[in-house]
């Protein structure tokens, strides 16, 4: 207990006992003790002057925080549909058998826990897993056997083969954003030379729109934020890339972090902000050290800190903030709540973060890719950016391509590229469907492969592009996504919380052959209610894949339908079997018979 108290006191005093760092404290404690002990909750509550229930609220909200201890090796298999297509289920069973552990529960000796988590952003090199936060890619039988042996031998992760932890950038196609270079500090210098209005004009003429999904005009957002009078302004980089099938930020943060920070500093200079945060998804914790090193190098080069590039009063620094496994925190207002050390419940909007964001101050929240583009536009100009793309969708988009293709990876394409051409270039053939923009996106059938990737056509959101060939059962995708949304709903509003759960049950009913036309209509109705009445984008987009597949792939449902007008999902007679066994009865009166 004394050790615990010393640890907590040290943790708090290092950061000035800040309640809005609560999530960061809990992440550190989870890492140290493999769970959040009750005694820690009491101590934190006392020292931060907050009720314990507030801390338990956080622990229960974030998937990577636990009240009960996990194993010394906490293994989380990525469970996106693309991991499943690559055979992750058999590998999970195999590892569980080898280690004698049940999924989700620590082994009695507390050596290991084997569990699943949502997409870990390594779909191009899956199946993948996280071991104590470190990513292991390209799992196969041989690697699973080796991992089982290492765990049994108690080998520390530092002594596991380095090759296990290699996650390649895997860039298959570069265009202007990834090819054309700018020197460190040149965007900041352009701002100092030309002023913030010139930067905003360049961004406006470039037509840059946010790359995270919503596609809001970047210059307009920065201008609104800058022109909102306040004590402080903040810059936040949304690196909570949680959309299943998306992994472009992994690559940008790993190899282009300087451009990300350059864009954030440029934004800070325009706004007059002194503080920035990079909100890093918990699944990318293994990138945090690289990012911290890049930040330190920039401080050493006068590109961060006080009087940046010698400019009096241009003070700005960036802190990394770790998420803890909550997809909803990708929504900007939920992200801000999380940044303030709270549960990631989306705020009521308006007001929008550009005027009332972090600590209720004007805040710019932009995607990783957007900051990279902004930095380059400030140096290379609006025309450089407009030289590719369409009139409405200027520039390029990074696509994270995975699934049934021979060359998965990162592809940078000018907006306006057709889906057909992308499929040819990534080595896809016999394609049944493409899911663009992740689980929340659109399901595209072959008759729509001439559509283009652009805001005005098939918008890719964060850039996920998952390919399914004719051998795949699309209901597996639908089932995976409905489970995902059901798990990730924050529970705040009824249409999403209840609708998502009903949708999951109805999909199970279809898969088990008990659904009727009535159930398909129910799915449509529930989907429409979710779209219209949900509080935030998660609930509004969660039924997209169900509605799309009902409309565009009706056969996958109709061939599973039961032949009756209505069939209950729950088999009451089967459920009574336990009672029959207990009472020893098996006569007619102990059964529910179908009298129809
Ligand atoms: Fe939460 Fe879902 Fe409602 Fe969004 S739509 S606030 S995620 S319950």
């Amino acid at each position: 207990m004394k050790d615990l108290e010393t640890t907590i006191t040290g943790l708090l005093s290092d950061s000035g006992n800040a309640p809005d760092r609560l999530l960061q404290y809990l992440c550190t404690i989870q890492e140290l003790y493999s769970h959040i002990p009750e005694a820690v909750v009491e101590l934190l509550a006392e020292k931060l002057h907050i009720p314990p229930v507030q801390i338990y609220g956080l622990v229960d909200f974030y998937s990577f925080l636990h009240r009960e201890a996990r194993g010394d090796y906490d293994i989380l298999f990525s469970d996106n549909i693309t991991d499943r297509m690559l055979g992750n289920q058999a590998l999970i069973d195999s590892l569980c058998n080898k280690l004698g552990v049940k999924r989700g529960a620590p082994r009695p000796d507390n050596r290991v826990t084997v569990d699943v988590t949502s997409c870990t952003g390594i779909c191009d090199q899956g199946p993948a897993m996280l071991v104590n936060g470190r990513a292991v890619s390209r799992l196969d039988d041989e690697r699973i056997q080796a991992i089982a042996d290492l765990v049994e031998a108690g080998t520390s992760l530092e002594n596991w083969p380095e090759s296990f932890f290699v996650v390649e950038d895997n860039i298959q196609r570069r265009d202007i954003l990834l090819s054309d270079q700018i020197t460190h500090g040149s965007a900041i210098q352009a701002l100092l030379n030309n002023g913030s209005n010139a930067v905003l004009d360049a961004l406006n003429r470039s037509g840059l729109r946010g790359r995270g999904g919503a596609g809001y005009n970047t210059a307009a957002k920065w201008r609104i934020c800058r022109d909102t009078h306040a004590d402080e302004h903040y810059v936040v980089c949304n690196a909570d890339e949680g959309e299943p099938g998306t992994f472009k930020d992994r690559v940008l943060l790993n190899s282009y972090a300087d451009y990300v920070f350059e864009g954030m500093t440029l934004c800070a200079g325009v706004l007059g902000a002194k503080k920035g945060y990079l909100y890093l998804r918990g699944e990318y914790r293994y990138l945090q050290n690289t990012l911290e090193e890049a930040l330190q190098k920039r401080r050493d080069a006068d590109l961060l800190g006080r009087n940046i590039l010698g400019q009096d009063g241009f003070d700005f620094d960036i802190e990394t903030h770790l998420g803890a496994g909550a997809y909803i925190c990708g929504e900007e207002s939920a992200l801000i709540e999380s940044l303030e050390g709270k549960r990631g419940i989306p705020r009521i909007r308006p007001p929008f973060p550009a005027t009332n964001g972090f600590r209720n101050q004007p805040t710019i929240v932009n995607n990783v890719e957007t900051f990279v583009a902004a930095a380059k536009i400030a140096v290379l100009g609006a025309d450089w950016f407009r030289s590719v793309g369409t009139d409405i969708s200027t520039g390029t988009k990074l696509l994270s391509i995975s699934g049934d293709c021979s060359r998965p990876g990162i592809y940078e394409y000018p907006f306006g590229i057709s889906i057909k051409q992308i499929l040819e270039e990534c080595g896809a053939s016999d394609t049944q469907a493409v899911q663009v923009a992740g689980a929340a996106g659109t399901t595209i059938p072959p008759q729509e492969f001439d559509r283009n990737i652009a805001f005005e056509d098939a918008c890719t959101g964060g850039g996920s592009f998952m390919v399914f060939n004719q051998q795949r059962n699309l209901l597996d995708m639908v089932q995976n996504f409905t489970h995902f949304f059901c798990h990730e709903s924050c529970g705040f509003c009824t249409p999403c919380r209840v609708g998502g759960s009903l949708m999951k049950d109805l999909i199970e009913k279809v898969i088990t052959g008990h659904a009727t036309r009535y159930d398909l209509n129910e799915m449509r109705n529930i989907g429409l209610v979710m779209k219209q009445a949900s509080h935030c984008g998660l609930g509004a987009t969660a039924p997209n894949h169900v509605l799309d597949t009902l409309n565009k792939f009706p056969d996958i449902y109709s061939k599973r339908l039961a032949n009756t007008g209505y069939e209950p999902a729950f088999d009451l007679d089967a459920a009574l079997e336990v009672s029959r066994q207990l009472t020893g009865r098996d006569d007619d009166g102990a059964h529910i018979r179908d009298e129809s």
Side-chain angles (χ1 to χ4, degrees), residues 536-557:
C536 83
L538 188 153
T541 55
N544 283 356
H545 62 283
V546 177
L547 298 174
D548 269 354
T549 48
L550 278 168
N551 290 336
K552 300 172 185 175
F553 297 89
D555 288 356
I556 66 171
Y557 293 93

Side-chain angles (χ1 to χ4, degrees), residues 328 345-346 488-493 496-497 534-540:
I328 185 59
I345 308 283
E488 297 298 337
S489 167
C490 80
F492 173 78
C493 67
C496 171
R497 184 185 65 250
S534 289
H535 172 60
C536 83
L538 188 153

Side-chain angles (χ1 to χ4, degrees), residues 18 28-30 34 49 67 76 80 91 96 101 123 126 161 164 172 180 195 380 435 437 445 455 517 528 559:
T28 306
I29 291 158
Q30 174 71 42
S34 88
H49 308 292
R67 292 196 194 208
L76 291 172
N80 185 29
L91 296 176
C96 285
V101 63
C123 319
F164 283 21
Q172 299 281 346
D180 296 348
L380 301 172
Q435 181 72 17
F455 288 109
R517 297 246 163 242
L528 292 177
K559 65 186 180 194

Side-chain angles (χ1 to χ4, degrees), residues 175-180 369 372-373 376 384-385 396 398 412:
D175 212 291
I176 58 169
L177 193 73
L178 297 182
S179 296
D180 296 348
E369 188 180 348
V372 174
K376 294 204 169 185
W384 164 81
F385 195 69
T396 63
L398 298 189
E412 185 191 1

Side-chain angles (χ1 to χ4, degrees), residues 292-571:
E292 294 293 353
E293 283 166 18
L295 286 170
Q296 191 51 49
K297 277 189 193 153
R298 290 184 70 84
R299 288 183 197 111
D300 295 343
D302 278 342
L303 298 173
L304 279 178
R306 290 180 64 81
N307 301 332
I308 289 172
L309 288 183
Q311 179 74 14
D312 258 2
F314 187 179
D315 305 337
F316 177 68
D317 212 331
I318 298 170
E319 195 179 303
T320 57
H321 178 106
L322 208 53
Y327 167 73
I328 185 59
C329 291
E331 196 276 345
E332 63 177 0
S333 68
L335 182 147
I336 289 170
E337 288 285 298
S338 182
L339 206 54
E340 293 179 355
K342 302 177 209 157
R343 296 185 301 155
I345 308 283
R347 292 178 178 174
I348 292 169
R349 301 183 304 168
F352 291 94
T355 58
N356 298 77
F358 183 58
R359 296 174 179 159
N360 203 31
Q361 302 296 304
T363 304
I364 284 298
V365 183
N366 271 146
N367 182 261
V368 174
E369 188 180 348
T370 312
F371 279 122
V372 174
K376 294 204 169 185
I377 290 166
V379 180
L380 301 172
D383 291 342
W384 164 81
F385 195 69
R386 293 196 75 93
S387 66
V388 293
T390 72
D391 284 347
I392 295 173
S393 308
T394 53
T396 63
K397 183 78 195 84
L398 298 189
L399 298 182
S400 310
I401 299 184
S402 63
D404 291 317
C405 59
S406 56
R407 292 180 294 280
I410 293 293
Y411 289 71
E412 185 191 1
Y413 279 112
F415 271 118
I417 182 86
S418 74
I419 290 171
K420 194 172 167 191
Q421 189 175 339
I422 297 170
L423 287 170
E424 279 169 20
E425 292 186 11
C426 74
S429 59
D430 199 24
T431 302
Q432 178 183 188
V434 176
Q435 181 72 17
V436 298
T442 310
T443 313
I444 310 265
Q447 58 272 29
E448 295 180 22
F449 285 173
D450 283 331
R451 290 179 67 181
N452 299 323
I453 298 296
F455 288 109
E456 64 271 29
D457 194 347
C459 180
T460 59
S464 166
F465 190 101
M466 291 182 270
V467 183
F468 299 86
N469 69 20
Q470 295 289 348
Q471 279 68 55
R472 300 294 176 189
N473 180 356
L474 282 185
L475 280 177
D476 291 340
M477 174 195 82
V478 176
Q479 183 187 37
N480 184 265
F481 291 170
T482 46
H483 276 258
F484 169 77
F485 283 117
C486 204
H487 180 258
E488 297 298 337
S489 167
C490 80
F492 173 78
C493 67
T494 309
C496 171
R497 184 185 65 250
V498 178
S501 174
L502 291 173
M503 198 70 102
K504 178 173 78 95
D505 291 345
L506 285 166
I507 293 295
E508 294 300 330
K509 202 172 168 187
V510 171
I511 287 172
T512 54
H514 290 100
T516 63
R517 297 246 163 242
Y518 175 90
D519 296 302
L520 300 192
N521 280 338
E522 274 299 282
M523 287 158 65
R524 286 182 201 280
N525 291 337
I526 292 167
L528 292 177
V529 170
M530 290 174 74
K531 286 185 84 62
Q532 288 167 6
S534 289
H535 172 60
C536 83
L538 188 153
T541 55
N544 283 356
H545 62 283
V546 177
L547 298 174
D548 269 354
T549 48
L550 278 168
N551 290 336
K552 300 172 185 175
F553 297 89
D555 288 356
I556 66 171
Y557 293 93
S558 57
K559 65 186 180 194
R560 297 264 187 157
L561 294 185
N563 287 324
T564 54
Y566 175 77
E567 182 144 331
F570 184 68
D571 185 343

